[in-house]
Amino acid sequence: MTTRRPTTTALEDRRLPVRAKLAAAWTSFMFLYAYVDILAFFKPGVVEGIEAGRVWEFHISQTLLTTFLVLMAVPILMVVLSVALPARANRVTNLVVASVQVPFAAFNTVGESWTYFYGLGVALELFVLALVLRWAWTWPRTAPSATGPDLGTVHARR
């Protein structure tokens, strides 16, 4: 009778495409963005303010809610655009949108007394945006094959 012994082998670690990394990062950003707002409902006075028709210093209106929807739609659409756009447009779109999102993320800490909560939320959002910017900026390039245009492309060395 033989006893089976577990074999130790290296785990497979395939390179993840940039599109998948970007879509995952935007998904993470979207959840952070939404959950910081959702968890903020537990702050004393927030629900009462909403019931009284105010969010922060703003009167609740169709315009305000439409603005919130547009702001939330940006990371949601970036998940789709990160996998659907052609590489060049994808790279530029991710660089531009992530750069524009940085000040919006930082705005959430302005005037807040709950600095640990909002500070952590913003720090995590900024970390994810930094990943988006890095991955989009360092998107691998391809160069024409040295043996001829009909034989495909080879990855350019960095």
Side-chain angles (χ1 to χ4, degrees), residues 51-130:
E51 288 173 342
R54 298 196 73 71
V55 173
W56 298 302
E57 300 298 319
F58 304 106
H59 176 70
I60 296 174
S61 66
Q62 181 170 257
T63 303
L64 181 68
L65 295 181
T66 302
T67 302
F68 289 169
L69 178 60
V70 168
L71 291 174
M72 194 68 232
V74 171
I76 291 169
L77 292 174
M78 286 307 297
V79 175
V80 174
L81 293 176
S82 293
V83 294
L85 288 175
R88 176 169 279 147
N90 199 332
R91 179 176 186 261
V92 170
T93 302
N94 273 280
L95 288 170
V96 169
V97 174
S99 297
V100 170
Q101 284 292 322
V102 168
F104 284 115
F107 174 76
N108 285 328
T109 60
V110 174
E112 283 297 335
S113 60
W114 287 44
T115 53
Y116 295 137
F117 172 72
Y118 287 105
L120 177 59
V122 167
L124 292 170
E125 289 174 8
L126 291 174
F127 174 74
V128 174
L129 290 171

